Amino acid sequence: MISLFRKIRQKLLQQNRVTRYLAYAVGEIVLVVIGILIALQINTWNEQRKDKEKENSILLGLYTESLGNRENLKTTIQHHEALLETTKSLMGLFYLSDYELKNYNLDSLIERTIDFRDFNPSLSVIQDLISSGNLGLISSENLRVLIFDWGRETEELKESYETLDESAAQLMLPYLTKNASMKNIDRYGFLKWEEKSRFNVSTHLLFQELEFENNLDNQAWGLANYLKALYVLEEIIEKIISETSPNRIPAE
């Protein structure tokens, strides 16, 4: 093609047809420019297609990771809701008679108030997305905001858990260690001791003590605060799942 254009130019110059040569030269330039523009457009389209494929892969990864996190989150919420209800129930047992208190397995109920667990979501996809600089590939501004919200609220959740954990470590557990049998309490927890403590311990006497009531109240507050943070995460993750659902990803 280039050889053909060169021959045509030489022929026009030999015939001293300068005007036609210039017009032809301009046309040749226009054709070259058009060819470059088409090539650039094809390259741009290919890059956009690759970016879209990457975005769809990221969305699928976010969707899968979020589904797993949602299941773990729901389990964690249900567990701590039960703990809070048990704590509230214990708050209603103060100053009952010994006869009435004997109708309750107090050691088991107390164990249920301290069996809290930290929620550690999987963050591999989100962390990789941010560290790799690929966050800009996500076309949905709403989803990008949700990803940042998830990161911020997981930090808030850590603080809520640390508050709950510190309260137990500094108040409730030292009090129980001094005034109750941890072995009897742990019979219903992780250790599952088969025998009770051989020391003569009267757990029902705790329900005559203001300090124990205050410790339970602090525990209830910490659980409620932790649940509040878990509920916020639950709302965010539901929105992320909705935004990344395969049904919303357009077919190639």
Side-chain angles (χ1 to χ4, degrees):
M1 180 64 73
I2 294 176
S3 176
L4 177 63
F5 287 157
R6 187 182 295 115
K7 289 179 180 180
I8 294 174
R9 284 200 302 269
Q10 290 174 351
K11 184 176 180 180
L12 290 172
L13 286 173
Q14 290 171 358
Q15 296 176 353
N16 200 25
R17 299 169 69 177
V18 177
T19 302
R20 288 190 177 185
Y21 170 76
L22 290 175
Y24 178 82
V26 171
E28 185 177 338
I29 293 172
V30 170
L31 288 176
V32 171
V33 171
I34 292 174
I36 293 173
L37 291 175
I38 291 174
L40 288 174
Q41 183 62 36
I42 292 174
N43 184 65
T44 299
W45 180 82
N46 282 331
E47 289 301 318
Q48 290 176 342
R49 179 179 58 80
K50 291 178 182 178
D51 287 346
K52 194 61 181 179
E53 289 176 352
K54 289 180 181 178
E55 181 186 13
N56 288 344
S57 178
I58 291 169
L59 293 179
L60 184 59
L62 282 171
Y63 178 75
T64 302
E65 184 174 78
S66 296
L67 286 179
N69 284 335
R70 181 175 66 177
E71 290 306 308
N72 292 334
L73 182 57
K74 285 184 178 298
T75 300
T76 303
I77 287 175
Q78 291 171 358
H79 178 79
H80 289 86
E81 285 176 338
L83 263 61
L84 182 56
E85 287 304 310
T86 300
T87 306
K88 290 180 177 179
S89 297
L90 283 178
M91 289 291 286
L93 301 183
F94 282 88
Y95 265 95
L96 292 183
S97 66
D98 291 350
Y99 175 78
E100 291 174 298
L101 289 174
K102 287 179 180 178
N103 294 321
Y104 299 91
N105 188 334
L106 298 177
D107 291 320
S108 174
L109 293 174
I110 291 173
E111 192 278 331
R112 288 288 293 163
T113 69
I114 59 177
D115 183 29
F116 46 85
R117 304 163 188 176
D118 193 8
F119 172 65
N120 292 304
S122 172
L123 298 173
S124 58
V125 176
I126 289 180
Q127 288 176 345
D128 180 68
L129 180 61
I130 295 174
S131 63
S132 66
N134 287 331
L135 189 61
L137 292 175
I138 296 180
S139 56
S140 171
E141 181 180 354
N142 188 45
L143 179 56
R144 293 198 299 270
V145 171
L146 287 171
I147 290 172
F148 282 116
D149 287 346
W150 175 262
R152 184 184 67 252
E153 293 302 330
T154 51
E155 291 301 317
E156 291 288 335
L157 183 71
K158 288 180 182 179
E159 292 183 12
S160 298
Y161 181 80
E162 288 172 0
T163 299
L164 176 61
D165 189 48
E166 288 176 8
S167 176
Q170 296 176 9
L171 298 173
M172 179 63 84
L173 292 179
Y175 177 84
L176 291 175
T177 300
K178 183 179 179 180
N179 297 282
S181 167
M182 292 305 299
K183 181 178 182 180
N184 289 347
I185 293 171
D186 285 334
R187 289 182 69 215
Y188 304 97
F190 178 73
L191 293 176
K192 300 186 184 300
W193 297 112
E194 293 183 3
E195 295 181 352
K196 282 188 174 184
S197 171
R198 296 181 182 180
F199 290 94
N200 185 20
V201 181
S202 300
T203 307
H204 67 276
L205 293 179
L206 298 180
F207 292 86
Q208 307 296 324
E209 297 290 336
L210 176 61
E211 185 176 359
F212 184 52
E213 183 182 62
N214 288 337
N215 286 336
L216 276 179
D217 181 78
N218 286 330
Q219 198 84 341
W221 187 92
L223 285 167
N225 186 55
Y226 187 47
L227 277 168
K228 180 180 178 182
L230 289 170
Y231 292 146
V232 172
L233 277 183
E234 184 180 37
E235 182 178 349
I236 293 173
I237 204 169
E238 289 292 350
K239 291 179 180 178
I240 291 177
I241 289 173
S242 176
E243 287 283 335
T244 58
S245 172
N247 293 332
R248 299 192 60 168
I249 301 177
E252 292 295 327

